[in-house]
Amino acid sequence: MSEKISKHSSKTLVEQLMAWILRKIDQNEWPAGTKLPSQRALAELLHVNRSTVVEALDELKAEDVLESRQGSGVFVKQPFSTIYHNRPVDWRGRMTNSHVEANVHTIQLINEYETKKHVIRLGTGELSPELIPTAQLQRLMHTSYLTNIDLGYSEPKGNEALREAIVQRLKKRGIETSKDGILIVSGALQALQLISLGLLEQGSHLYFDAPSYIPSIPSLQATPLETPINRLKKGILYTVPTLNNPTGQTMNEHERIQLLQDASKRGIPIIEDDVYHDLSFESSPKALKSMDTTGQVIYISSVSKTVSPGLRIGWVVAPTPVIERLADVKMQLDYGSNALSQHIVTRLLSSDDYDDHIQQLRRELKKRADYTEHVLMTYLSHIAHWQSPKGGFYIWVTFKEPIVTKSLFLRLLKRNVLINPGYVYNPRDLYSLRISFAYCTNEQLRAGLQILAEEVSGDSPPLR
């Protein structure tokens, strides 16, 4: 967008900025009632000083195009149009009263700033580009032979060859199923959305143990589990028993057996999210699904955490009638997952390339985890504690005082450091934050954690 504002133009920067805003309004990108981005956001977006933004906004307020609302920001006051007597569409009201709530502001900022290259992303739940097996994926794409049939719609449950490949992979996890018991989805998140739409009874809830990343997805309309499972009357329980997101904790076998028994007594289905299992640094307990004798466990996984989030390929394992119901709902929403991605993942899972990649990925993640813990010890050990990671992406850092506030988040953002604070996983948690060792380089981790230490304690020791 920076080409819209030029220091070499015959018009002043303020005049150019005003014209840019008016175009947004005139083209109905910003209709009546739209809240404008903050002054700081506009200044960063258009590469101008904040004083320039303030002056342009003041001019447009004077012209009765914009208005300030106390404590809320700057809004478009009226359509910039030659026809003023027509009633504008109340988009803001429609969005506010829609079925899906807006995400919390912190999550919106995280989603926005994770795309900015200059930001140190301390909490990102994503593989570093260096860890994605790009060469193997490119080779698979270059050597793939696809027909026009392959690039059409796949059957409702997904590519048959991919489901067969997943059947073989699941056997290594102790899970026995057939291709008819598998549905291909566009990542594990879509699996949760399909389950919420297709299997939750009216008035029931998708329960989860806090802390969890589930609160960052308000469209799921999930509820924290605040009562023992054996007291629940209905609903579905969501859990990440292996390398939980965000804490990195793993349930032991006794805890898994107890969970299954308690849920079984109440007829409560369990969603087992197993996306991090392949990233365990040491052997992990059996999957809940492998111990399931009654069909109460819905198992979901994907290649988003092990190969590439951009492929958008995941899968659901459940009793065949459940899979057929979810497939029907999926067909109503998107008519099938990406055909090319399904083909690539089929070839990857059917070869030794995947196993070789996982072995190498585990070794690299272990090195990064050890380094991250070393830096944490150097900068934060006097004011925080954590458990050494057993795999996955994360270290859950908990401070002695409630200092992980929105204010800290914004102060760090101003210094180009992005964190995932504990309150996005549990609204009452102002003590914790999620540190990821999977994305940043060692240099970025060291710099980011040093800045974090400076903000939370006022000083920091030199790195040993």
Side-chain angles (χ1 to χ4, degrees):
M1 306 291 278
S2 58
E3 71 273 9
K4 303 286 185 182
I5 306 295
S6 171
K7 294 181 179 179
H8 304 293
S9 172
S10 59
K11 294 184 178 180
T12 67
L13 295 178
V14 171
E15 290 173 335
Q16 292 180 70
L17 178 52
M18 290 174 61
W20 182 81
I21 292 173
L22 291 172
R23 278 196 298 273
K24 288 281 190 182
I25 298 171
D26 193 37
Q27 294 168 5
N28 284 322
E29 291 184 51
W30 290 354
T34 298
K35 181 180 178 180
L36 271 63
S38 67
Q39 295 173 3
R40 179 168 63 85
L42 283 172
E44 290 182 0
L45 177 66
L46 298 168
H47 302 288
V48 295
N49 293 329
R50 191 167 176 177
S51 59
T52 301
V53 175
V54 172
E55 187 175 348
L57 295 179
D58 285 344
E59 289 286 342
L60 291 173
K61 291 175 195 174
E63 293 183 13
D64 214 28
V65 174
L66 303 178
E67 63 178 346
S68 291
R69 298 180 188 173
Q70 187 68 32
S72 298
V74 178
F75 294 78
V76 177
K77 188 173 183 179
Q78 61 184 28
F80 190 70
S81 170
T82 57
I83 303 176
Y84 288 100
H85 60 272
N86 288 341
R87 182 179 179 182
V89 175
D90 181 15
W91 289 117
R92 186 172 182 80
R94 289 171 181 267
M95 290 185 286
T96 300
N97 297 312
S98 69
H99 294 293
V100 178
E101 297 179 17
N103 221 326
V104 296
H105 186 233
T106 298
I107 292 294
Q108 291 181 0
L109 288 173
I110 289 173
N111 291 338
E112 176 185 351
Y113 279 83
E114 279 193 329
T115 64
K116 299 184 184 296
K117 295 181 180 179
H118 67 282
V119 172
I120 298 175
R121 297 159 55 175
L122 285 183
T124 291
E126 180 181 341
L127 282 177
S128 164
E130 301 170 358
L131 300 180
I132 294 175
T134 306
Q136 292 99 312
L137 294 176
Q138 287 179 336
R139 185 174 70 251
L140 289 174
M141 285 188 281
H142 290 157
T143 59
S144 294
Y145 176 75
L146 295 171
T147 68
N148 56 345
I149 300 298
D150 295 324
L151 291 175
Y153 293 122
S154 60
E155 61 179 282
K157 294 180 183 178
N159 183 292
E160 184 175 347
L162 175 55
R163 289 185 285 129
E164 290 284 13
I166 292 170
V167 167
Q168 299 307 313
R169 287 282 163 186
L170 289 172
K171 288 180 179 179
K172 299 180 180 181
R173 193 73 174 102
I175 299 171
E176 294 290 338
T177 188
S178 70
K179 62 181 176 63
D180 293 327
I182 296 174
L183 170 67
I184 305 303
V185 290
S186 299
L189 176 56
Q190 188 186 48
L192 292 175
Q193 292 167 333
L194 295 177
I195 291 167
S196 295
L197 289 171
L199 299 179
L200 270 180
E201 304 167 88
Q202 290 188 2
S204 64
H205 299 273
L206 179 65
Y207 293 102
F208 63 91
D209 281 317
S212 170
Y213 81 99
I214 294 297
S216 68
I217 312 168
S219 62
L220 291 177
Q221 299 181 338
T223 302
L225 182 64
E226 296 178 340
T227 186
I229 297 171
N230 56 17
R231 294 183 183 177
L232 295 180
K233 293 183 179 180
K234 58 181 179 178
I236 300 178
L237 175 65
Y238 170 82
T239 183
V240 187
T242 303
L243 301 171
N244 172 270
N245 176 12
T247 65
Q249 294 182 350
T250 294
M251 287 185 190
N252 60 40
E253 189 165 338
H254 172 74
E255 291 170 328
R256 294 173 189 236
I257 293 172
Q258 189 64 53
L259 177 64
L260 282 171
Q261 290 176 346
D262 290 343
S264 180
K265 289 177 183 177
R266 290 288 181 178
I268 302 293
I270 298 174
I271 303 169
E272 178 182 17
D273 190 336
D274 205 31
V275 294
Y276 294 100
H277 164 70
D278 280 343
L279 303 181
S280 296
F281 297 155
E282 52 195 47
S283 60
S284 59
K286 296 177 181 178
L288 290 173
K289 186 63 178 174
S290 71
M291 299 184 282
D292 176 24
T293 59
T294 62
Q296 74 182 99
V297 177
I298 300 174
Y299 179 93
I300 62 178
S301 190
S302 79
V303 295
S304 293
K305 303 302 181 182
T306 57
V307 181
S308 167
L311 289 170
R312 306 310 304 142
I313 294 296
W315 48 90
V316 184
V317 183
T320 301
V322 173
I323 291 297
E324 290 174 348
R325 166 62 172 163
L326 297 180
D328 176 59
V329 176
K330 179 174 170 60
M331 292 297 284
Q332 296 180 48
L333 297 177
D334 67 7
Y335 227 69
S337 299
N338 183 281
L340 182 57
S341 290
Q342 290 187 76
H343 181 79
I344 293 169
V345 175
T346 300
R347 293 201 58 194
L348 183 63
L349 295 183
S350 302
S351 70
D352 293 333
D353 284 350
Y354 182 76
D355 295 309
D356 293 342
H357 163 67
I358 289 299
Q359 292 298 326
Q360 183 177 347
L361 180 57
R362 283 176 183 158
R363 289 193 294 268
E364 181 59 33
L365 287 174
K366 183 65 168 66
K367 290 178 185 177
R368 287 169 174 249
D370 291 344
Y371 180 81
T372 303
E373 191 166 17
H374 165 69
V375 180
L376 285 170
M377 286 294 297
T378 301
Y379 290 124
L380 297 175
S381 60
H382 61 298
I383 55 174
H385 62 87
W386 58 88
Q387 293 183 354
S388 296
K390 305 298 183 184
F393 289 0
Y394 314 118
I395 299 177
W396 186 241
V397 177
T398 301
F399 291 88
K400 297 176 182 178
E401 303 291 337
I403 57 178
V404 187
T405 60
K406 179 72 172 293
S407 174
L408 174 65
F409 174 84
L410 293 175
R411 294 201 312 272
L412 288 167
L413 197 57
K414 187 174 290 187
R415 299 184 67 178
N416 294 322
V417 174
L418 184 62
I419 62 168
N420 285 49
Y423 64 78
V424 303
Y425 305 104
N426 180 351
R428 294 189 290 267
D429 187 353
L430 300 179
Y431 291 83
S432 307
L433 56 82
R434 185 182 83 177
I435 298 295
S436 170
F437 47 81
Y439 190 83
C440 289
T441 64
N442 286 351
E443 292 76 16
Q444 290 171 329
L445 275 167
R446 180 174 61 182
L449 289 173
Q450 183 172 7
I451 291 172
L452 171 63
E454 291 170 359
E455 289 295 334
V456 298
S457 63
D459 60 358
S460 59
L463 184 64
R464 295 190 291 269

